[in-house]
Amino acid sequence: MKYIQVTFSFKTIEEYQQDLLIAELGDIGFNTFEEAEGGFLAFIDVNTYSEDQLKNVLKQFEGEFECSYVISEIEGKNWNEEWEKNFEPLIINDQCYVRATFHEAQPAYRYEIVIDPKMAFGTGHHQTTTMMMQYILETDVKDKEILDMGCGTAILAILAAKKGASKLIAIDYDEVCYQSSVENAALNGVENLEAICGGKEVIPSVEFDIILANINRNILLDQIPTYAKVLKDGGSIFFSGFYESPDLEMIKAACVPFGIEYINHKKNGEWVAAYFKKN
């Protein structure tokens, strides 16, 4: 398979700005990113790439940083080999140990998750995923039915399963994420997780006790009405993938018409995760 490689270079850019740019690129189909001197590399299937979409993304950041980019076509890489070079085990709240298949097991931790991310987002290393995992560790999920939207590797759903959730639906529009979710559920012996490829249109018409949505502000704002329909009264929803200002206030405002009340939020760097409850 052939890929488009886009090499981004910046005179100056803040880390949170680069993270936000990567998140927006992910929304238009870029699925692998590598650090490079002065910037980063982004990769996308040649059949998915649209220069108009790329220009529209960059237009959102006009005036925030100076950016140049070079486009080239390449043959597919051994993506697993690439991430294995830098993937290190992760410990969350001294309770959860996240590792790859080539790391040694650590049975001393209460929860151990084995993740083979391939090109899918969600090894737990990004601040948004870490905060969402912290919320899950702090929440009683036993016997709860849970929806994990924008699931990536399904790491959040898998952690909830290990904590006793009764049923889990993990949804992502990316085929690689879907396949990764299926494989990671099997790696962790999770049999009550159903992975679905798609967006809000494939959310089953059932009610959930908890919704996990680690995506980005714009998609969350679009999907909140759908979440409200499938969240049980008294149910909890955890959002991440956005910033404290102005994003959090926008999320709060979008939830008000549906009786979904803000409870609290976490912040890690510029990123935020927030807890809401449906009255």
Side-chain angles (χ1 to χ4, degrees):
M1 181 184 292
K2 291 189 175 182
Y3 283 81
I4 296 293
Q5 172 184 301
V6 183
T7 303
F8 291 93
S9 300
F10 308 93
K11 287 188 175 180
T12 57
I13 187 171
E14 298 291 337
E15 182 179 355
Y16 79 90
Q17 293 173 323
Q18 181 168 300
D19 285 343
L20 185 55
L21 174 57
I22 287 173
E24 294 292 337
L25 291 171
D27 288 341
I28 62 171
F30 285 86
N31 49 32
T32 301
F33 303 91
E34 294 180 15
E35 291 184 5
E37 186 174 351
F40 64 89
L41 311 178
F43 301 88
I44 185 171
D45 182 336
V46 69
N47 296 315
T48 305
Y49 175 69
S50 165
E51 187 158 8
D52 287 340
Q53 287 185 326
L54 174 59
K55 289 178 178 178
N56 287 337
V57 165
L58 293 175
K59 193 175 293 184
Q60 298 177 40
F61 297 94
E62 284 183 356
E64 295 188 32
F65 51 78
E66 292 186 42
C67 171
S68 62
Y69 62 91
V70 176
I71 299 170
S72 54
E73 188 174 303
I74 64 169
E75 293 294 331
K77 291 187 175 184
N78 183 337
W79 303 107
N80 280 351
E81 183 179 305
E82 292 297 320
W83 68 257
E84 283 179 13
K85 293 177 183 175
N86 300 301
F87 185 80
E88 295 293 335
L90 181 71
I91 299 168
I92 306 289
N93 286 17
D94 291 325
Q95 297 180 62
C96 181
Y97 180 72
V98 183
R99 67 176 178 89
T101 50
F102 52 86
H103 295 133
E104 288 188 12
Q106 296 287 344
Y109 291 95
R110 187 172 183 181
Y111 308 106
E112 183 174 75
I113 299 177
V114 183
I115 291 293
D116 180 4
K118 297 189 185 300
M119 292 182 287
F121 176 85
T123 62
H125 288 75
H126 194 273
Q127 295 99 312
T128 58
T129 313
T130 296
M131 288 186 289
M132 292 290 277
M133 294 178 74
Q134 289 171 336
Y135 267 129
I136 294 170
L137 290 170
E138 296 163 7
T139 302
D140 180 10
V141 302
K142 186 173 175 55
D143 299 324
K144 305 294 187 184
E145 296 188 9
I146 296 178
L147 171 65
D148 181 2
M149 284 298 294
C151 63
T153 59
I155 188 172
L156 301 181
I158 289 168
L159 176 56
K162 287 181 176 286
K163 286 199 68 190
S166 61
K167 184 177 180 181
L168 304 111
I169 303 292
I171 297 176
D172 204 294
Y173 73 91
D174 189 295
E175 177 70 23
V176 174
C177 292
Y178 163 74
Q179 293 292 344
S180 183
S181 297
V182 172
E183 293 172 14
N184 288 324
L187 274 175
N188 289 275
V190 174
E191 298 179 350
N192 57 341
L193 185 155
E194 178 185 356
I196 304 175
C197 190
K200 64 181 181 181
E201 73 283 351
V202 301
I203 296 175
S205 297
V206 298
E207 290 190 323
F208 296 92
D209 299 291
I210 297 172
I211 296 176
L212 310 169
N214 181 15
I215 312 179
N216 66 47
R217 183 195 70 190
N218 292 338
I219 292 180
L220 292 175
L221 291 173
D222 174 68
Q223 295 189 356
I224 283 171
T226 305
Y227 300 157
K229 291 178 183 178
V230 298
L231 183 63
K232 291 180 182 178
D233 291 341
S236 300
I237 185 163
F238 298 92
F239 295 117
S240 195
F242 53 90
Y243 297 124
E244 189 169 39
S245 178
D247 299 353
L248 182 57
E249 291 305 317
M250 295 172 72
I251 299 289
K252 287 180 183 178
C255 287
V256 169
F258 304 101
I260 298 175
E261 179 185 359
Y262 165 80
I263 304 299
N264 59 46
H265 73 275
K266 300 178 183 294
K267 188 175 180 183
N268 189 331
E270 297 293 328
W271 295 98
V272 163
Y275 168 34
F276 287 74
K277 198 171 185 69
K278 185 177 181 182
N279 294 324

mmCIF file of all heavy atoms in Angstrom, residues 118-163:
data_model
loop_
_atom_site.group_PDB
_atom_site.id
_atom_site.type_symbol
_atom_site.label_atom_id
_atom_site.label_comp_id
_atom_site.label_asym_id
_atom_site.label_seq_id
_atom_site.Cartn_x
_atom_site.Cartn_y
_atom_site.Cartn_z
ATOM 1 N N LYS A 118 -0.669 -0.805 16.664
ATOM 2 C CA LYS A 118 -0.523 -0.667 15.208
ATOM 3 C C LYS A 118 -0.457 0.822 14.889
ATOM 4 O O LYS A 118 0.352 1.552 15.424
ATOM 5 C CB LYS A 118 -1.662 -1.381 14.473
ATOM 6 C CG LYS A 118 -1.664 -2.882 14.711
ATOM 7 C CD LYS A 118 -2.646 -3.559 13.810
ATOM 8 C CE LYS A 118 -2.743 -5.037 14.132
ATOM 9 N NZ LYS A 118 -1.478 -5.760 13.987
ATOM 10 N N MET A 119 -1.372 1.301 14.027
ATOM 11 C CA MET A 119 -1.392 2.728 13.716
ATOM 12 C C MET A 119 -2.478 3.451 14.511
ATOM 13 O O MET A 119 -2.736 4.622 14.307
ATOM 14 C CB MET A 119 -1.619 2.943 12.220
ATOM 15 C CG MET A 119 -0.474 2.484 11.349
ATOM 16 S SD MET A 119 -0.769 2.804 9.600
ATOM 17 C CE MET A 119 -2.009 1.567 9.235
ATOM 18 N N ALA A 120 -3.148 2.739 15.416
ATOM 19 C CA ALA A 120 -4.287 3.328 16.110
ATOM 20 C C ALA A 120 -3.837 4.184 17.290
ATOM 21 O O ALA A 120 -2.890 3.874 17.983
ATOM 22 C CB ALA A 120 -5.213 2.220 16.605
ATOM 23 N N PHE A 121 -4.576 5.255 17.510
ATOM 24 C CA PHE A 121 -4.303 6.167 18.629
ATOM 25 C C PHE A 121 -4.761 5.502 19.928
ATOM 26 O O PHE A 121 -5.819 4.926 19.995
ATOM 27 C CB PHE A 121 -5.081 7.464 18.410
ATOM 28 C CG PHE A 121 -4.952 8.452 19.530
ATOM 29 C CD1 PHE A 121 -3.880 9.324 19.578
ATOM 30 C CD2 PHE A 121 -5.902 8.510 20.532
ATOM 31 C CE1 PHE A 121 -3.750 10.247 20.610
ATOM 32 C CE2 PHE A 121 -5.780 9.422 21.568
ATOM 33 C CZ PHE A 121 -4.715 10.294 21.608
ATOM 34 N N GLY A 122 -3.966 5.598 20.978
ATOM 35 C CA GLY A 122 -4.433 5.148 22.268
ATOM 36 C C GLY A 122 -3.557 4.147 22.971
ATOM 37 O O GLY A 122 -3.984 3.055 23.306
ATOM 38 N N THR A 123 -2.304 4.482 23.210
ATOM 39 C CA THR A 123 -1.429 3.617 24.001
ATOM 40 C C THR A 123 -1.488 3.986 25.468
ATOM 41 O O THR A 123 -0.905 3.303 26.301
ATOM 42 C CB THR A 123 0.033 3.732 23.532
ATOM 43 O OG1 THR A 123 0.475 5.081 23.719
ATOM 44 C CG2 THR A 123 0.172 3.329 22.077
ATOM 45 N N GLY A 124 -2.179 5.088 25.782
ATOM 46 C CA GLY A 124 -2.230 5.571 27.156
ATOM 47 C C GLY A 124 -1.222 6.659 27.428
ATOM 48 O O GLY A 124 -1.294 7.342 28.449
ATOM 49 N N HIS A 125 -0.273 6.868 26.527
ATOM 50 C CA HIS A 125 0.786 7.846 26.767
ATOM 51 C C HIS A 125 0.313 9.283 26.571
ATOM 52 O O HIS A 125 0.857 10.200 27.174
ATOM 53 C CB HIS A 125 1.988 7.567 25.856
ATOM 54 C CG HIS A 125 2.749 6.343 26.251
ATOM 55 N ND1 HIS A 125 2.275 5.066 25.998
ATOM 56 C CD2 HIS A 125 3.943 6.185 26.893
ATOM 57 C CE1 HIS A 125 3.158 4.195 26.469
ATOM 58 N NE2 HIS A 125 4.167 4.831 27.007
ATOM 59 N N HIS A 126 -0.683 9.484 25.720
ATOM 60 C CA HIS A 126 -1.148 10.859 25.524
ATOM 61 C C HIS A 126 -1.918 11.310 26.763
ATOM 62 O O HIS A 126 -2.629 10.528 27.400
ATOM 63 C CB HIS A 126 -2.031 10.969 24.278
ATOM 64 C CG HIS A 126 -2.247 12.385 23.859
ATOM 65 N ND1 HIS A 126 -3.258 13.164 24.368
ATOM 66 C CD2 HIS A 126 -1.562 13.179 22.995
ATOM 67 C CE1 HIS A 126 -3.198 14.371 23.828
ATOM 68 N NE2 HIS A 126 -2.173 14.413 23.004
ATOM 69 N N GLN A 127 -1.801 12.607 27.084
ATOM 70 C CA GLN A 127 -2.412 13.126 28.309
ATOM 71 C C GLN A 127 -3.913 12.843 28.379
ATOM 72 O O GLN A 127 -4.456 12.561 29.450
ATOM 73 C CB GLN A 127 -2.181 14.636 28.412
ATOM 74 C CG GLN A 127 -0.731 15.035 28.556
ATOM 75 C CD GLN A 127 -0.119 15.487 27.241
ATOM 76 O OE1 GLN A 127 -0.269 14.802 26.229
ATOM 77 N NE2 GLN A 127 0.570 16.607 27.248
ATOM 78 N N THR A 128 -4.602 12.943 27.242
ATOM 79 C CA THR A 128 -6.054 12.751 27.253
ATOM 80 C C THR A 128 -6.402 11.316 27.645
ATOM 81 O O THR A 128 -7.317 11.078 28.443
ATOM 82 C CB THR A 128 -6.661 13.081 25.881
ATOM 83 O OG1 THR A 128 -6.056 12.260 24.871
ATOM 84 C CG2 THR A 128 -6.446 14.538 25.521
ATOM 85 N N THR A 129 -5.676 10.347 27.086
ATOM 86 C CA THR A 129 -5.937 8.944 27.416
ATOM 87 C C THR A 129 -5.601 8.671 28.872
ATOM 88 O O THR A 129 -6.343 7.966 29.578
ATOM 89 C CB THR A 129 -5.120 8.014 26.502
ATOM 90 O OG1 THR A 129 -5.241 8.439 25.151
ATOM 91 C CG2 THR A 129 -5.609 6.588 26.619
ATOM 92 N N THR A 130 -4.489 9.206 29.340
ATOM 93 C CA THR A 130 -4.095 9.021 30.739
ATOM 94 C C THR A 130 -5.173 9.531 31.678
ATOM 95 O O THR A 130 -5.550 8.845 32.648
ATOM 96 C CB THR A 130 -2.772 9.757 31.022
ATOM 97 O OG1 THR A 130 -1.736 9.172 30.231
ATOM 98 C CG2 THR A 130 -2.394 9.650 32.493
ATOM 99 N N MET A 131 -5.692 10.725 31.440
ATOM 100 C CA MET A 131 -6.718 11.295 32.324
ATOM 101 C C MET A 131 -8.007 10.480 32.279
ATOM 102 O O MET A 131 -8.662 10.287 33.312
ATOM 103 C CB MET A 131 -6.981 12.759 31.950
ATOM 104 C CG MET A 131 -5.859 13.702 32.315
ATOM 105 S SD MET A 131 -6.254 15.451 32.021
ATOM 106 C CE MET A 131 -6.256 15.510 30.211
ATOM 107 N N MET A 132 -8.378 9.997 31.100
ATOM 108 C CA MET A 132 -9.581 9.168 31.000
ATOM 109 C C MET A 132 -9.397 7.869 31.776
ATOM 110 O O MET A 132 -10.323 7.385 32.455
ATOM 111 C CB MET A 132 -9.894 8.883 29.538
ATOM 112 C CG MET A 132 -10.344 10.103 28.739
ATOM 113 S SD MET A 132 -11.996 10.698 29.196
ATOM 114 C CE MET A 132 -13.017 9.586 28.219
ATOM 115 N N MET A 133 -8.200 7.294 31.726
ATOM 116 C CA MET A 133 -7.934 6.077 32.494
ATOM 117 C C MET A 133 -7.982 6.366 33.987
ATOM 118 O O MET A 133 -8.464 5.544 34.778
ATOM 119 C CB MET A 133 -6.581 5.499 32.085
ATOM 120 C CG MET A 133 -6.548 4.996 30.646
ATOM 121 S SD MET A 133 -4.936 4.363 30.132
ATOM 122 C CE MET A 133 -4.916 2.785 31.013
ATOM 123 N N GLN A 134 -7.503 7.534 34.390
ATOM 124 C CA GLN A 134 -7.582 7.912 35.799
ATOM 125 C C GLN A 134 -9.037 7.998 36.252
ATOM 126 O O GLN A 134 -9.384 7.526 37.350
ATOM 127 C CB GLN A 134 -6.871 9.248 36.020
ATOM 128 C CG GLN A 134 -5.364 9.158 35.894
ATOM 129 C CD GLN A 134 -4.686 10.518 35.903
ATOM 130 O OE1 GLN A 134 -5.290 11.540 35.575
ATOM 131 N NE2 GLN A 134 -3.400 10.537 36.263
ATOM 132 N N TYR A 135 -9.884 8.574 35.413
ATOM 133 C CA TYR A 135 -11.314 8.652 35.753
ATOM 134 C C TYR A 135 -11.912 7.250 35.899
ATOM 135 O O TYR A 135 -12.683 6.983 36.822
ATOM 136 C CB TYR A 135 -12.083 9.420 34.679
ATOM 137 C CG TYR A 135 -12.245 10.898 34.958
ATOM 138 C CD1 TYR A 135 -11.909 11.847 34.000
ATOM 139 C CD2 TYR A 135 -12.771 11.361 36.171
ATOM 140 C CE1 TYR A 135 -12.073 13.209 34.240
ATOM 141 C CE2 TYR A 135 -12.941 12.710 36.421
ATOM 142 C CZ TYR A 135 -12.589 13.639 35.454
ATOM 143 O OH TYR A 135 -12.760 14.985 35.698
ATOM 144 N N ILE A 136 -11.572 6.351 34.987
ATOM 145 C CA ILE A 136 -12.105 4.988 35.067
ATOM 146 C C ILE A 136 -11.657 4.316 36.356
ATOM 147 O O ILE A 136 -12.442 3.637 37.035
ATOM 148 C CB ILE A 136 -11.669 4.168 33.834
ATOM 149 C CG1 ILE A 136 -12.306 4.747 32.562
ATOM 150 C CG2 ILE A 136 -12.076 2.697 33.988
ATOM 151 C CD1 ILE A 136 -11.749 4.166 31.273
ATOM 152 N N LEU A 137 -10.391 4.511 36.722
ATOM 153 C CA LEU A 137 -9.877 3.916 37.957
ATOM 154 C C LEU A 137 -10.588 4.471 39.187
ATOM 155 O O LEU A 137 -10.709 3.782 40.206
ATOM 156 C CB LEU A 137 -8.369 4.157 38.068
ATOM 157 C CG LEU A 137 -7.500 3.379 37.086
ATOM 158 C CD1 LEU A 137 -6.059 3.880 37.115
ATOM 159 C CD2 LEU A 137 -7.536 1.871 37.383
ATOM 160 N N GLU A 138 -11.067 5.694 39.104
ATOM 161 C CA GLU A 138 -11.743 6.346 40.231
ATOM 162 C C GLU A 138 -13.243 6.071 40.261
ATOM 163 O O GLU A 138 -13.920 6.439 41.231
ATOM 164 C CB GLU A 138 -11.528 7.865 40.152
ATOM 165 C CG GLU A 138 -10.079 8.295 40.288
ATOM 166 C CD GLU A 138 -9.835 9.723 39.804
ATOM 167 O OE1 GLU A 138 -10.824 10.420 39.477
ATOM 168 O OE2 GLU A 138 -8.668 10.137 39.739
ATOM 169 N N THR A 139 -13.781 5.437 39.231
ATOM 170 C CA THR A 139 -15.225 5.278 39.067
ATOM 171 C C THR A 139 -15.650 3.825 39.264
ATOM 172 O O THR A 139 -14.967 2.906 38.828
ATOM 173 C CB THR A 139 -15.647 5.747 37.659
ATOM 174 O OG1 THR A 139 -15.253 7.122 37.493
ATOM 175 C CG2 THR A 139 -17.147 5.635 37.462
ATOM 176 N N ASP A 140 -16.810 3.623 39.886
ATOM 177 C CA ASP A 140 -17.375 2.291 40.031
ATOM 178 C C ASP A 140 -18.031 1.900 38.712
ATOM 179 O O ASP A 140 -19.089 2.421 38.361
ATOM 180 C CB ASP A 140 -18.410 2.288 41.157
ATOM 181 C CG ASP A 140 -19.044 0.913 41.350
ATOM 182 O OD1 ASP A 140 -18.549 -0.067 40.745
ATOM 183 O OD2 ASP A 140 -20.040 0.830 42.097
ATOM 184 N N VAL A 141 -17.405 1.010 37.979
ATOM 185 C CA VAL A 141 -17.938 0.587 36.687
ATOM 186 C C VAL A 141 -18.460 -0.847 36.721
ATOM 187 O O VAL A 141 -18.910 -1.375 35.703
ATOM 188 C CB VAL A 141 -16.883 0.713 35.565
ATOM 189 C CG1 VAL A 141 -16.377 2.138 35.457
ATOM 190 C CG2 VAL A 141 -15.717 -0.250 35.801
ATOM 191 N N LYS A 142 -18.438 -1.481 37.885
ATOM 192 C CA LYS A 142 -18.864 -2.872 37.992
ATOM 193 C C LYS A 142 -20.312 -3.040 37.551
ATOM 194 O O LYS A 142 -21.211 -2.286 37.974
ATOM 195 C CB LYS A 142 -18.697 -3.372 39.429
ATOM 196 C CG LYS A 142 -18.991 -4.863 39.601
ATOM 197 C CD LYS A 142 -18.643 -5.332 40.984
ATOM 198 C CE LYS A 142 -19.039 -6.788 41.204
ATOM 199 N NZ LYS A 142 -18.465 -7.693 40.181
ATOM 200 N N ASP A 143 -20.544 -3.990 36.668
ATOM 201 C CA ASP A 143 -21.871 -4.328 36.138
ATOM 202 C C ASP A 143 -22.499 -3.192 35.325
ATOM 203 O O ASP A 143 -23.709 -3.193 35.084
ATOM 204 C CB ASP A 143 -22.834 -4.739 37.272
ATOM 205 C CG ASP A 143 -22.340 -5.970 38.018
ATOM 206 O OD1 ASP A 143 -21.749 -6.859 37.370
ATOM 207 O OD2 ASP A 143 -22.539 -6.034 39.245
ATOM 208 N N LYS A 144 -21.681 -2.246 34.876
ATOM 209 C CA LYS A 144 -22.187 -1.132 34.069
ATOM 210 C C LYS A 144 -22.062 -1.446 32.577
ATOM 211 O O LYS A 144 -21.148 -2.165 32.152
ATOM 212 C CB LYS A 144 -21.402 0.155 34.366
ATOM 213 C CG LYS A 144 -21.372 0.553 35.835
ATOM 214 C CD LYS A 144 -22.726 0.930 36.360
ATOM 215 C CE LYS A 144 -22.616 1.488 37.787
ATOM 216 N NZ LYS A 144 -23.936 1.780 38.372
ATOM 217 N N GLU A 145 -22.993 -0.890 31.789
ATOM 218 C CA GLU A 145 -22.914 -0.971 30.328
ATOM 219 C C GLU A 145 -22.263 0.315 29.827
ATOM 220 O O GLU A 145 -22.723 1.411 30.160
ATOM 221 C CB GLU A 145 -24.297 -1.169 29.725
ATOM 222 C CG GLU A 145 -24.933 -2.494 30.144
ATOM 223 C CD GLU A 145 -26.230 -2.794 29.407
ATOM 224 O OE1 GLU A 145 -26.561 -2.059 28.447
ATOM 225 O OE2 GLU A 145 -26.905 -3.760 29.785
ATOM 226 N N ILE A 146 -21.223 0.160 29.009
ATOM 227 C CA ILE A 146 -20.360 1.300 28.686
ATOM 228 C C ILE A 146 -20.179 1.448 27.182
ATOM 229 O O ILE A 146 -19.980 0.461 26.465
ATOM 230 C CB ILE A 146 -18.981 1.139 29.370
ATOM 231 C CG1 ILE A 146 -19.167 1.168 30.889
ATOM 232 C CG2 ILE A 146 -18.005 2.223 28.923
ATOM 233 C CD1 ILE A 146 -17.891 0.967 31.675
ATOM 234 N N LEU A 147 -20.235 2.692 26.725
ATOM 235 C CA LEU A 147 -19.952 3.046 25.333
ATOM 236 C C LEU A 147 -18.637 3.794 25.284
ATOM 237 O O LEU A 147 -18.449 4.790 25.988
ATOM 238 C CB LEU A 147 -21.075 3.931 24.775
ATOM 239 C CG LEU A 147 -20.842 4.562 23.389
ATOM 240 C CD1 LEU A 147 -20.748 3.489 22.313
ATOM 241 C CD2 LEU A 147 -21.949 5.569 23.060
ATOM 242 N N ASP A 148 -17.701 3.315 24.452
ATOM 243 C CA ASP A 148 -16.396 3.966 24.263
ATOM 244 C C ASP A 148 -16.353 4.499 22.833
ATOM 245 O O ASP A 148 -16.183 3.763 21.878
ATOM 246 C CB ASP A 148 -15.280 2.942 24.499
ATOM 247 C CG ASP A 148 -13.875 3.536 24.345
ATOM 248 O OD1 ASP A 148 -13.758 4.740 24.092
ATOM 249 O OD2 ASP A 148 -12.900 2.766 24.463
ATOM 250 N N MET A 149 -16.534 5.817 22.698
ATOM 251 C CA MET A 149 -16.566 6.464 21.373
ATOM 252 C C MET A 149 -15.188 6.999 21.000
ATOM 253 O O MET A 149 -14.500 7.587 21.824
ATOM 254 C CB MET A 149 -17.567 7.617 21.362
ATOM 255 C CG MET A 149 -19.020 7.175 21.292
ATOM 256 S SD MET A 149 -19.423 6.247 19.784
ATOM 257 C CE MET A 149 -19.208 7.499 18.512
ATOM 258 N N GLY A 150 -14.808 6.808 19.729
ATOM 259 C CA GLY A 150 -13.474 7.193 19.296
ATOM 260 C C GLY A 150 -12.464 6.340 20.034
ATOM 261 O O GLY A 150 -11.479 6.833 20.582
ATOM 262 N N CYS A 151 -12.716 5.017 20.035
ATOM 263 C CA CYS A 151 -12.035 4.106 20.964
ATOM 264 C C CYS A 151 -10.554 3.898 20.670
ATOM 265 O O CYS A 151 -9.803 3.476 21.547
ATOM 266 C CB CYS A 151 -12.754 2.762 20.991
ATOM 267 S SG CYS A 151 -12.755 1.883 19.407
ATOM 268 N N GLY A 152 -10.100 4.141 19.432
ATOM 269 C CA GLY A 152 -8.686 3.927 19.118
ATOM 270 C C GLY A 152 -8.292 2.472 19.289
ATOM 271 O O GLY A 152 -8.754 1.602 18.553
ATOM 272 N N THR A 153 -7.486 2.181 20.291
ATOM 273 C CA THR A 153 -7.068 0.805 20.577
ATOM 274 C C THR A 153 -8.033 0.081 21.501
ATOM 275 O O THR A 153 -7.801 -1.077 21.850
ATOM 276 C CB THR A 153 -5.691 0.811 21.252
ATOM 277 O OG1 THR A 153 -5.787 1.569 22.464
ATOM 278 C CG2 THR A 153 -4.625 1.400 20.347
ATOM 279 N N ALA A 154 -9.080 0.763 21.963
ATOM 280 C CA ALA A 154 -10.050 0.245 22.945
ATOM 281 C C ALA A 154 -9.449 0.116 24.337
ATOM 282 O O ALA A 154 -9.972 -0.587 25.190
ATOM 283 C CB ALA A 154 -10.658 -1.087 22.506
ATOM 284 N N ILE A 155 -8.378 0.845 24.609
ATOM 285 C CA ILE A 155 -7.718 0.749 25.909
ATOM 286 C C ILE A 155 -8.641 1.151 27.051
ATOM 287 O O ILE A 155 -8.621 0.542 28.130
ATOM 288 C CB ILE A 155 -6.411 1.590 25.926
ATOM 289 C CG1 ILE A 155 -5.619 1.333 27.208
ATOM 290 C CG2 ILE A 155 -6.692 3.070 25.739
ATOM 291 C CD1 ILE A 155 -4.238 1.982 27.218
ATOM 292 N N LEU A 156 -9.501 2.154 26.824
ATOM 293 C CA LEU A 156 -10.409 2.595 27.886
ATOM 294 C C LEU A 156 -11.453 1.523 28.181
ATOM 295 O O LEU A 156 -11.732 1.199 29.342
ATOM 296 C CB LEU A 156 -11.095 3.912 27.497
ATOM 297 C CG LEU A 156 -10.173 5.097 27.201
ATOM 298 C CD1 LEU A 156 -10.998 6.335 26.848
ATOM 299 C CD2 LEU A 156 -9.265 5.400 28.389
ATOM 300 N N ALA A 157 -12.042 0.973 27.119
ATOM 301 C CA ALA A 157 -13.042 -0.080 27.300
ATOM 302 C C ALA A 157 -12.431 -1.310 27.957
ATOM 303 O O ALA A 157 -13.059 -1.956 28.807
ATOM 304 C CB ALA A 157 -13.660 -0.444 25.948
ATOM 305 N N ILE A 158 -11.203 -1.639 27.588
ATOM 306 C CA ILE A 158 -10.535 -2.811 28.170
ATOM 307 C C ILE A 158 -10.287 -2.603 29.661
ATOM 308 O O ILE A 158 -10.506 -3.505 30.474
ATOM 309 C CB ILE A 158 -9.219 -3.098 27.420
ATOM 310 C CG1 ILE A 158 -9.538 -3.632 26.011
ATOM 311 C CG2 ILE A 158 -8.356 -4.094 28.183
ATOM 312 C CD1 ILE A 158 -8.343 -3.690 25.080
ATOM 313 N N LEU A 159 -9.858 -1.395 30.055
ATOM 314 C CA LEU A 159 -9.662 -1.119 31.479
ATOM 315 C C LEU A 159 -10.994 -1.241 32.221
ATOM 316 O O LEU A 159 -11.056 -1.830 33.304
ATOM 317 C CB LEU A 159 -9.067 0.274 31.682
ATOM 318 C CG LEU A 159 -8.911 0.726 33.140
ATOM 319 C CD1 LEU A 159 -8.063 -0.269 33.940
ATOM 320 C CD2 LEU A 159 -8.301 2.128 33.196
ATOM 321 N N ALA A 160 -12.069 -0.699 31.627
ATOM 322 C CA ALA A 160 -13.390 -0.794 32.263
ATOM 323 C C ALA A 160 -13.821 -2.252 32.390
ATOM 324 O O ALA A 160 -14.408 -2.650 33.403
ATOM 325 C CB ALA A 160 -14.413 0.002 31.459
ATOM 326 N N ALA A 161 -13.518 -3.064 31.385
ATOM 327 C CA ALA A 161 -13.852 -4.490 31.440
ATOM 328 C C ALA A 161 -13.112 -5.174 32.582
ATOM 329 O O ALA A 161 -13.681 -5.996 33.311
ATOM 330 C CB ALA A 161 -13.513 -5.154 30.112
ATOM 331 N N LYS A 162 -11.841 -4.826 32.750
ATOM 332 C CA LYS A 162 -11.049 -5.441 33.820
ATOM 333 C C LYS A 162 -11.536 -5.009 35.199
ATOM 334 O O LYS A 162 -11.299 -5.694 36.208
ATOM 335 C CB LYS A 162 -9.568 -5.096 33.636
ATOM 336 C CG LYS A 162 -8.929 -5.854 32.458
ATOM 337 C CD LYS A 162 -7.458 -5.523 32.298
ATOM 338 C CE LYS A 162 -6.840 -6.357 31.184
ATOM 339 N NZ LYS A 162 -6.628 -7.760 31.569
ATOM 340 N N LYS A 163 -12.247 -3.869 35.254
ATOM 341 C CA LYS A 163 -12.823 -3.411 36.510
ATOM 342 C C LYS A 163 -14.242 -3.932 36.733
ATOM 343 O O LYS A 163 -14.892 -3.564 37.710
ATOM 344 C CB LYS A 163 -12.832 -1.876 36.564
ATOM 345 C CG LYS A 163 -11.472 -1.244 36.792
ATOM 346 C CD LYS A 163 -11.628 0.184 37.300
ATOM 347 C CE LYS A 163 -12.222 0.214 38.695
ATOM 348 N NZ LYS A 163 -12.609 1.570 39.132
#
